[in-house]
Amino acid sequence: MEEAIRTTCAYCGVGCGISATPTGPRSAVIKSDEAHPANAGRLCSKGTHLGETIGLQGRLLHPMIGSKRAGWDKALDHVARRFRDTIDRHGPDSVAFYVSGQLLTEDYYVANKLMKGFIGSANIDTNSRLCMSSAVAGHNRAFGEDVVPASYDDLDQADLIVLVGSNTAWCHPIVYQRIQAARAARGTKLVVIDPRRTETCEDADLHLAVKPGTDVALMNGLLAWCDAVGVTDPAYMADHVTTPEGFWDHIRTGHDLWTTAATCDIAPALLEQFFRLFAATPRTVTLFSQGINQSIRGTDQVNAIINVHLASRRIGEPGAAPFSITGQPNAMGGREVGGLASTLAAHMDFAPDDVARVGRFWAAPHMATRAGLKAVDMFRAIHEGRIKALWVMATNPAVSLPDANRVREALETCPFVVVSDIMADTDTSVHADVRLPAAGWGEKDGTVTNSDRTISRQRPFMALPGDAKPDWWIIKEVARRMGWRNAFAYDRPADIWREHARLTAYQNDGQRLLNLRSHATIGNDAYDAMAPFRWGGDPFADGRFPTPDGRARLVLTKQIDVQGALQHWPLTLNTGRYRDQWHTMTRTGLSPKLARHREEPLVDMHPSDAQALGIAEGDLARVSTAQGESLFRVALSAGQRPGDIFTPIHWTDQISSGGRTGLLPRPLVDPHSGQPGFKSTPARVQKVATQWRGFLILRSQDAVKPPCLWATRVTVPGGALYELAGNGDPARLESCLPKGERVEAIDLTRGSRRVAIIRDGRLAGVLFVTRAGLLPSRDWLIDQLEVEGVGATVLAARGPGSQPDKGATICVCFDVGLNQIVAAIRDQRLVDVPAIGQALGAGTNCGSCRPALANILAQSRQETLHAAE
């Protein structure tokens, strides 16, 4: 076995260290890096199963011009010529880059430099605009610089942790486990503020299910309470904080407990419990995420949180801070190099002095002098014909941006579209004129910055497949072909890192906390061996802030009226992530383990809303908004607020005929950050009747498009499962079956048909359809894909003996289902999560399912108590 390579996880902003040991050209054993400060030996389910996603299935391996394979020289010359011609004809603002938090810092740096210093436009924005740009704007308004004033160590030292708009147990599981460890070690209290009762709430001391969009009122109310009971620190504010005129008059008017409770639709007693707990606990960390940022008033919500921490001096002290936790592995690195259209580079903006400084450093011939178009505005400009050439790197805007139908129209009408990606076919790349094969995780070489400012190395442990190249190499080769050979003469990522570090230090005498001076002359060997480090130390501990006067700023924030139910759109749509999936599933969708947690895209509804609409658990339903519509499978959840619905962001046209959440949100954005509001879109839900339902299992990994209303692809060991439903004659589905020996069983009474295709003694495919009968569990049939000597008895969908259905998968690491867990709790009288782990293994590996196990345990207790009454 080869030597283990220390690298960093490909997923969220926690930035976990990973130890990857290659076991073949495209395989590796993935373990946690016990020495990494971000995770200290922990990994979530997604990180644990990265090894299932590093094959070459679906990879883009060669440059493509249209549908024809091309060499690199031809493809790069073509891209450079088209961009140069477009700029010559229409000016620098006629081109744009749309990049991604999946890029490494070195990739980001080269793209940003090319656009802002040499093309001469700031039309480079990132999909990070969609997840944390409101936090950036809030930090800049309050602190003068985009500095996260916290570290994960603060979670270990806090006496109270407040989670606002964050399903941490699902979206940042390692942070959640760290919080739970602090609770066990020191009795840390946990408050969760979220309209939904998620698994994050299960072990919380208090859950506030606030009305969506009322976070400013909540935080202003908290600040008013702190002011009234003497918890604010006037001396600290006098020395270190600038307060705008009228600020305290505003806070002291209309933010009493009862008014705040009414605005937030929370019982006053619960709200008072939270206010008293916060006021009594100086060591408080308020950790916030997409529920705060993804709002058309996201920046004000961020500043309302920061205001409370500044005024009560819960900042710059151990265990006390507002803490924005990011969604992507290198969203922070992109912020540092200037990957947002609203920033320039190295935490500098478009002030004339900053433009001149960066221009001198780059020896730039065409410096951008003003901010560029943010993501939503960028694609609006493409749609209107103002942007005529677009380069998309490592992201899928046809799925992820709001009002995605409009985005697709823009891509289709844009005269020239380039897509750099690892996957051959995405919802975005189908619109590309040129596709460029980029390096994927396990092949990349560079750095990333996580949510608490820790910079880590991402190291390759596999060779680049086919003609794939690193993103920085692709960008610099285009730049050189556009005429700027000397400015982009990079031979390795270390060259770019040194230049980035020098720029952070250039004419920086303390004005900016981002200063990597010690890395400006780092050698290649030292870069290769770089250990994780956190820049900025313990910011604001001395009470000084990176503003011209050294003082932080309170920002006056006002709660806007929250729109009530509309006649045609009576529900409110919230969107977000699932525990075991990531973005648009181009990576996690390849993992059979991860696919089993949520096999289909669901719309979560409160039972009372579903009952009023005549909708039952498991029905298909059409979710519609003014922007578009898509189908979802219905899941009833008492954790939803009545009137609210929730859908996941992950499913694409490549995977499903429904579940297209990106079609639904409004393209409305925060006026300061430009971040879209994904959390509060007026919507309606209608039941969709179907005449039959079924499933298709194929041994082949080649995707098919079943001709029916509902078809969702699920990766399984040895092949793929398709969940199906529709109307009309289901016989047309047989076109999806492979050739081979056919065995069939028909039940006319129930309208059921079972067809199996056997080839060379192995199961090649099965199709089960029924109009009125029950469908069997898929698990045994999936297992048969890897069994030899399969015969006609496969149509029974079960082997000899009793094989109970294990139920929906809860623990993906050990493939433990709901029914197995419930049975073990009942039969073995299990009383806690560790006991479940000892009995079944569930929850003993990555730990991502522990909140779900606690919930199942609590429900089992309630059912036992009810049965005894």
Side-chain angles (χ1 to χ4, degrees):
M1 184 175 289
E2 296 189 39
E3 182 180 351
I5 303 297
R6 296 181 65 190
T7 185
T8 312
C9 185
Y11 295 118
C12 76
V14 177
C16 293
I18 279 178
S19 173
T21 304
T23 56
R26 302 302 305 184
S27 61
V29 173
I30 303 296
K31 295 182 179 180
S32 62
D33 181 351
E34 297 186 0
H36 198 284
N39 57 317
R42 304 180 186 95
L43 273 185
C44 75
S45 56
K46 292 188 289 291
T48 297
H49 296 98
L50 267 166
E52 292 189 340
T53 71
I54 57 178
L56 296 182
Q57 179 186 348
R59 281 293 296 266
L60 177 64
L61 296 175
H62 309 285
M64 303 291 292
I65 299 177
S67 59
K68 296 182 179 180
R69 177 174 168 177
W72 271 113
D73 284 337
K74 183 175 182 179
L76 294 168
D77 287 344
H78 182 58
V79 171
R81 182 174 62 254
R82 289 295 302 268
F83 267 83
R84 172 61 78 188
D85 289 348
T86 302
I87 294 165
D88 289 345
R89 291 183 181 185
H90 305 287
D93 287 333
S94 66
V95 302
F97 295 169
Y98 188 62
V99 298
S100 165
Q102 302 293 301
L103 296 178
L104 304 186
T105 297
E106 291 77 2
D107 304 324
Y108 252 129
Y109 181 89
V110 181
N112 190 59
K113 177 180 176 180
L114 172 58
M115 179 57 76
K116 290 176 181 166
F118 290 78
I119 290 176
S121 171
N123 284 347
I124 173 173
D125 209 37
T126 166
N127 63 4
S128 300
R129 176 70 60 190
L130 312 184
C131 70
M132 54 73 216
S133 55
S134 289
V136 174
H139 291 158
N140 282 323
R141 291 206 297 181
F143 308 141
E145 185 178 350
D146 177 23
V147 178
V148 175
S151 75
Y152 298 140
D153 296 338
D154 287 308
L155 301 175
D156 304 332
Q157 302 173 73
D159 295 318
L160 170 64
I161 296 173
V162 182
L163 302 178
V164 191
S166 172
N167 186 5
T168 317
W170 275 21
C171 300
H172 300 97
I174 300 307
V175 168
Y176 184 78
Q177 291 179 35
R178 193 158 185 164
I179 291 170
Q180 293 303 313
R183 286 169 61 71
R186 55 184 288 125
T188 304
K189 298 294 185 182
L190 177 63
V191 175
V192 179
I193 301 169
D194 193 321
R196 303 167 63 220
R197 185 170 183 84
T198 66
E199 288 184 5
T200 301
C201 305
E202 293 306 323
D203 192 45
D205 296 286
L206 182 64
H207 171 221
L208 300 181
V210 296
K211 183 178 182 179
T214 60
D215 298 275
V216 168
L218 176 68
M219 290 299 157
N220 283 352
L222 173 59
L223 183 52
W225 178 278
C226 291
D227 174 55
V229 300
V231 172
T232 57
D233 192 330
Y236 178 79
M237 287 189 284
D239 291 340
H240 302 292
V241 181
T242 297
T243 304
E245 184 177 354
F247 180 88
W248 288 111
D249 289 340
H250 169 64
I251 293 296
R252 292 163 184 161
T253 304
H255 294 107
D256 58 273
L257 175 68
W258 299 95
T259 302
T260 303
T263 301
C264 298
D265 193 21
I266 291 291
L270 283 179
L271 197 59
E272 182 177 356
Q273 185 180 347
F274 168 51
F275 286 179
R276 288 186 180 279
L277 183 58
F278 187 97
T281 315
R283 288 195 172 204
T284 295
V285 172
T286 302
L287 191 153
F288 59 94
S289 190
Q290 313 301 20
I292 289 295
N293 294 332
Q294 289 182 333
S295 165
I296 59 173
R297 289 295 180 269
T299 304
D300 279 355
Q301 293 179 168
V302 170
N303 283 114
I305 292 170
I306 294 174
N307 285 344
V308 178
H309 279 265
L310 286 172
S312 61
R313 198 179 179 178
R314 283 160 168 76
I315 192 168
E317 302 285 344
F323 193 172
S324 162
I325 186 164
T326 52
Q328 293 194 82
N330 201 33
M332 289 284 284
R335 289 151 69 168
E336 291 159 7
V337 304
L340 292 162
S342 47
T343 60
L344 181 56
H347 283 192
M348 289 177 276
D349 60 20
F350 292 91
D353 287 348
D354 287 343
V355 172
R357 182 181 300 112
V358 176
R360 286 193 300 273
F361 181 86
W362 282 340
H366 309 294
M367 278 298 296
T369 58
R370 64 180 186 275
L373 295 174
K374 303 178 182 76
V376 172
D377 290 336
M378 177 184 291
F379 280 86
R380 184 177 293 120
I382 296 169
H383 196 278
E384 294 170 356
R386 291 183 283 130
I387 290 177
K388 302 178 184 300
L390 172 70
W391 191 348
V392 178
M393 306 177 197
T395 188
N396 201 359
V399 178
S400 56
L401 278 168
D403 196 8
N405 276 327
R406 191 83 166 172
V407 172
R408 293 172 178 219
E409 291 173 5
L411 290 167
E412 190 60 33
T413 58
C414 187
F416 188 60
V417 176
V418 181
V419 172
S420 301
D421 208 312
I422 66 170
M423 304 305 291
D425 298 308
T426 70
D427 289 22
T428 298
S429 69
V430 298
H431 303 282
D433 299 284
V434 178
R435 289 175 290 162
L436 303 176
W441 183 82
E443 303 151 9
K444 292 188 176 205
D445 189 3
T447 59
V448 293
T449 307
N450 74 356
S451 293
D452 78 343
R453 294 172 283 113
T454 296
I455 296 176
S456 302
R457 287 280 281 112
Q458 199 170 103
R459 297 182 175 91
F461 57 88
M462 296 182 294
L464 288 166
D467 291 332
K469 295 288 186 182
D471 288 282
W472 67 264
W473 183 92
I474 300 171
I475 301 161
K476 70 103 173 178
E477 285 298 316
V478 169
R480 288 165 66 86
R481 284 166 168 80
M482 291 180 72
W484 302 300
R485 301 188 65 82
N486 293 334
F488 292 87
Y490 307 117
D491 293 325
R492 57 186 64 83
D495 296 340
I496 306 165
W497 171 255
R498 284 187 287 266
E499 184 175 314
H500 165 54
R502 289 197 302 272
L503 179 54
T504 67
Y506 182 60
Q507 297 181 349
N508 182 3
D509 297 322
Q511 302 95 326
R512 305 183 304 281
L513 290 185
L514 176 60
N515 189 331
L516 303 175
R517 189 183 307 274
S518 62
H519 284 253
T521 58
I522 189 172
N524 294 336
D525 291 342
Y527 174 82
D528 290 341
M530 184 192 300
F533 71 96
R534 182 186 303 123
W535 65 263
D538 297 316
F540 316 147
D542 59 358
R544 288 197 56 80
F545 297 83
T547 57
D549 60 6
R551 299 165 65 91
R553 305 182 185 97
L554 295 176
V555 178
L556 195 151
T557 61
K558 296 182 179 180
Q559 176 65 50
I560 62 170
D561 292 335
V562 177
Q563 189 176 47
L566 302 176
Q567 180 179 357
H568 297 294
W569 315 105
L571 301 173
T572 298
L573 170 66
N574 183 8
T575 71
R577 293 178 179 168
Y578 279 166
R579 187 189 77 189
D580 292 347
Q581 294 301 341
W582 175 254
H583 284 198
T584 61
M585 294 171 66
T586 50
R587 180 182 289 113
T588 52
L590 301 174
S591 166
K593 291 279 191 181
L594 297 178
R596 301 311 300 273
H597 177 240
R598 291 289 187 273
E599 295 184 343
E600 297 179 285
L602 308 176
V603 53
D604 288 358
M605 303 182 66
H606 191 273
S608 62
D609 292 328
Q611 184 178 20
L613 294 169
I615 296 174
E617 176 85 22
D619 282 347
L620 285 183
R622 179 176 291 106
V623 179
S624 304
T625 69
Q627 290 66 239
E629 62 182 36
S630 192
L631 295 181
F632 294 83
R633 183 77 68 188
V634 173
L636 303 186
S637 170
Q640 287 292 124
R641 280 175 54 95
D644 292 355
I645 59 175
F646 176 87
T647 62
I649 64 173
H650 310 293
W651 273 261
T652 71
D653 286 350
Q654 311 304 312
I655 300 170
S656 179
S657 61
R660 288 287 291 104
T661 290
L663 303 176
L664 306 175
R666 298 173 293 185
L668 302 181
V669 301
D670 178 277
H672 305 287
S673 68
Q675 181 158 354
F678 288 104
K679 300 296 185 181
S680 185
T681 300
R684 65 171 176 258
V685 178
Q686 298 168 294
K687 178 177 178 177
V688 175
T690 56
Q691 297 171 339
W692 55 262
R693 52 202 169 84
F695 62 85
L696 171 71
I697 301 174
L698 299 175
R699 192 167 76 221
S700 171
Q701 292 285 355
D702 295 336
V704 299
K705 294 284 187 181
C708 57
L709 179 67
W710 177 261
T712 296
R713 185 180 191 273
V714 184
T715 300
V716 299
L721 161 69
Y722 295 81
E723 293 292 343
L724 310 172
N727 297 304
D729 188 357
R732 61 185 185 275
L733 295 170
E734 296 185 20
S735 63
C736 299
L737 289 169
K739 295 180 180 180
E741 178 189 351
R742 178 188 178 103
V743 291
E744 184 175 6
I746 298 175
D747 183 342
L748 296 177
T749 303
R750 295 181 175 83
S752 298
R753 171 175 292 186
R754 298 184 175 192
V755 180
I757 303 297
I758 300 170
R759 192 164 55 211
D760 300 326
R762 297 187 63 189
L763 183 64
V766 294
L767 173 65
F768 281 42
V769 177
T770 186
R771 293 181 180 272
L774 297 176
L775 290 169
S777 169
R778 287 62 159 161
D779 292 336
W780 185 84
L781 286 167
I782 291 169
D783 291 342
Q784 303 315 295
L785 292 176
E786 298 181 308
V787 171
E788 298 199 10
V790 172
T793 56
V794 73
L795 293 179
R798 59 185 297 172
S802 176
Q803 296 171 327
D805 180 9
K806 72 180 183 66
T809 301
I810 303 298
C811 174
V812 299
C813 295
F814 295 105
D815 197 28
V816 182
L818 174 63
N819 295 345
Q820 294 171 300
I821 296 167
V822 171
I825 292 172
R826 180 191 64 237
D827 298 341
Q828 301 179 44
R829 298 182 180 180
L830 306 179
V831 297
D832 55 25
V833 172
I836 297 174
Q838 187 172 3
L840 300 173
T844 61
N845 186 38
C846 75
S848 298
C849 65
R850 287 174 194 157
L853 298 177
N855 187 32
I856 295 167
L857 194 63
Q859 290 178 350
S860 296
R861 286 173 183 156
Q862 289 180 349
E863 291 171 2
T864 301
L865 289 173
H866 290 159
E869 292 176 353

